Amino acid sequence: MNVNPRPCIYALALSAALSGCASPPAEQAMFGNPQPLSEMILRGQLQDLNARLPSSNVDSRMAVTPLCALSSNAARAAPAIDYLLARGVDVNKPCDERSPNTAMDYLIAEIINRASPDSPYRANPQYRPSDLPVLYAVAQKMIDKGAVTHIRRYTIADIQEKVREAVGQNNANLVAHHETYKATVARNQQILGAAGAVAGVVAGAKILASDSTAGGIARNSLSALSNRADDKPGPSVASAAGGPAVQSPSRLPANAAAGAKGQIWRDDYRNEVIATGEIKDYPDHERNIPGDVVMAKVGSRTSAEQVWTQQGGTVTDYSHCGSCGVGSRIRVVVKFRQIIDYHDYVREK
């Protein structure tokens, strides 16, 4: 596991009182505060305007050119960028030794960030359309000095088209993941019956709101549901997509869950959008799943295939848990038209 090389800048962002955790000016510029580096430049305190400056007080190997650092927040650093351009700074020097990206790469990324609006699925705190005229003005000045990305030369019209494409793709990815989430909850309501319906609330709390209070309530409700004192037939749960009702755990044939009573499982879930290849992981996607439900629904490849065929999916991979002791898992991979679901059902108790 890689250790985050920038603990100080994040701590600084959380509290200005952490004065003992000061970051180098170049790093501050890249993470939202270009003022210290801008002042150094405008006061003539940098002898070599092309020299890479330290961009981490943790990793001494990390360094970036002044122009690249400021291009990450160009709207607030325009005077200092003008100063650098007027003095013949190398606009195409790679930003750091480990990447071919140039200042123009950084600037276009910044424009895309500022141009990406809030959506119903995600707020973008960096959305600031009022910055765009300044950013495009800076881009034009850099282009006039011969600036290119690490791939090609861009005109302003090229950049604007790239921004439109990127913003559209970002929104499409957000919509795809939101639709994936809704489809997953609907499938879980069918696949796991009443327990899955409540577990879907847990998923909703974790994925969309990250509300631990709501998640705790949902888990308590699930626990109460799966540990009823009586063993009477429970209500059936209808598909959110309009499909046939699926029986709740207590209605399952007794022999389908032999030996699984009292077991508790969780579902570690991952989804992949086929069109983009984008993957998101949701560990502990569902908790407190009764063992009899797991065994009845996914205890064999045949049962898993029956369940997911009804949902329009194809089981492409399946592995059983063997003796199914605590910590063992059942893996089910299901392909749908637009997404691939990966489920790891892990026994916890």
Side-chain angles (χ1 to χ4, degrees):
M1 178 181 295
N2 292 328
V3 178
N4 186 344
R6 296 184 172 88
C8 287
I9 189 63
Y10 299 130
L12 188 63
L14 290 174
S15 174
L18 299 178
S19 57
C21 198
S23 298
E27 183 178 33
Q28 293 187 51
M30 295 175 68
F31 283 88
N33 180 21
Q35 183 176 351
L37 180 57
S38 293
E39 290 180 353
M40 289 178 61
I41 292 171
L42 294 174
R43 291 172 180 171
Q45 295 176 346
L46 295 183
Q47 294 183 351
D48 185 349
L49 299 180
N50 288 312
R52 295 188 179 97
L53 305 175
S55 58
S56 171
N57 59 3
V58 176
D59 188 344
S60 61
R61 298 169 299 175
M62 298 180 66
V64 66
T65 66
L67 182 61
C68 288
L70 295 179
S71 294
S72 299
N73 276 276
R76 298 172 57 193
I81 291 176
D82 287 343
Y83 181 98
L84 294 174
L85 296 178
R87 284 156 180 78
V89 71
D90 183 353
V91 293
N92 293 321
K93 182 175 181 176
C95 292
D96 62 65
E97 293 182 349
R98 293 178 284 186
S99 168
N101 290 330
T102 68
M104 184 59 74
D105 287 292
Y106 280 38
L107 180 58
I108 292 176
E110 174 70 354
I111 294 174
I112 292 171
N113 195 25
R114 300 300 181 188
S116 297
D118 291 343
S119 77
Y121 316 111
R122 184 192 68 180
N124 176 18
Q126 303 302 316
Y127 176 51
R128 199 175 300 153
S130 60
D131 284 353
L132 294 179
V134 177
L135 292 173
Y136 279 118
V138 171
Q140 186 61 66
K141 292 176 183 178
M142 290 174 59
I143 291 170
D144 291 342
K145 295 292 185 179
V148 299
T149 71
H150 74 286
I151 296 176
R152 52 166 284 199
R153 178 182 176 87
Y154 280 82
T155 65
I156 292 298
D158 293 334
I159 295 175
Q160 291 171 334
E161 179 60 26
K162 185 176 182 65
V163 169
R164 283 192 292 268
E165 291 177 356
V167 171
Q169 186 61 58
N170 289 342
N171 288 338
N173 288 342
L174 289 171
V175 171
H177 278 297
H178 185 71
E179 293 303 313
T180 296
Y181 158 75
K182 291 195 299 183
T184 299
V185 171
R187 287 197 299 276
N188 287 341
Q189 289 176 347
Q190 289 188 334
I191 294 167
L192 298 179
V198 179
V201 177
V202 180
K206 297 183 74 172
I207 295 173
L208 294 185
S210 298
D211 188 324
S212 58
T213 302
I217 293 172
R219 291 190 186 93
N220 291 336
S221 299
L222 179 56
S223 177
L225 174 67
S226 60
N227 293 295
R228 290 191 300 240
D230 64 296
D231 195 29
K232 298 177 182 179
S236 62
V237 178
S239 164
V246 177
Q247 291 179 328
S248 70
S250 59
R251 282 193 176 183
L252 296 171
N255 60 355
K261 289 286 187 180
Q263 295 180 6
I264 298 297
W265 294 65
R266 73 171 189 269
D267 178 11
D268 290 340
Y269 170 68
R270 161 184 288 192
N271 72 57
E272 176 181 355
V273 179
I274 295 174
T276 64
E278 190 167 357
I279 293 175
K280 283 197 174 182
D281 290 300
Y282 303 107
D284 294 345
H285 175 62
E286 295 176 7
R287 301 293 300 272
N288 298 324
I289 306 173
D292 52 353
V293 177
V294 172
M295 289 302 155
K297 298 296 186 179
V298 297
S300 69
R301 180 167 188 140
T302 298
S303 61
E305 287 175 342
Q306 290 174 347
V307 167
W308 267 286
T309 297
Q310 294 175 1
Q311 314 303 317
T314 301
V315 175
T316 59
D317 189 27
Y318 178 91
S319 60
H320 194 258
C321 52
S323 60
C324 299
V326 174
S328 61
R329 67 184 61 216
I330 298 172
R331 159 155 285 210
V332 186
V333 180
V334 189
K335 184 176 181 180
F336 294 86
R337 187 169 63 88
Q338 295 181 334
I339 63 172
I340 300 174
D341 282 352
Y342 302 83
H343 292 272
D344 280 323
Y345 296 96
V346 182
R347 183 180 171 186
E348 295 188 309
K349 176 182 175 183

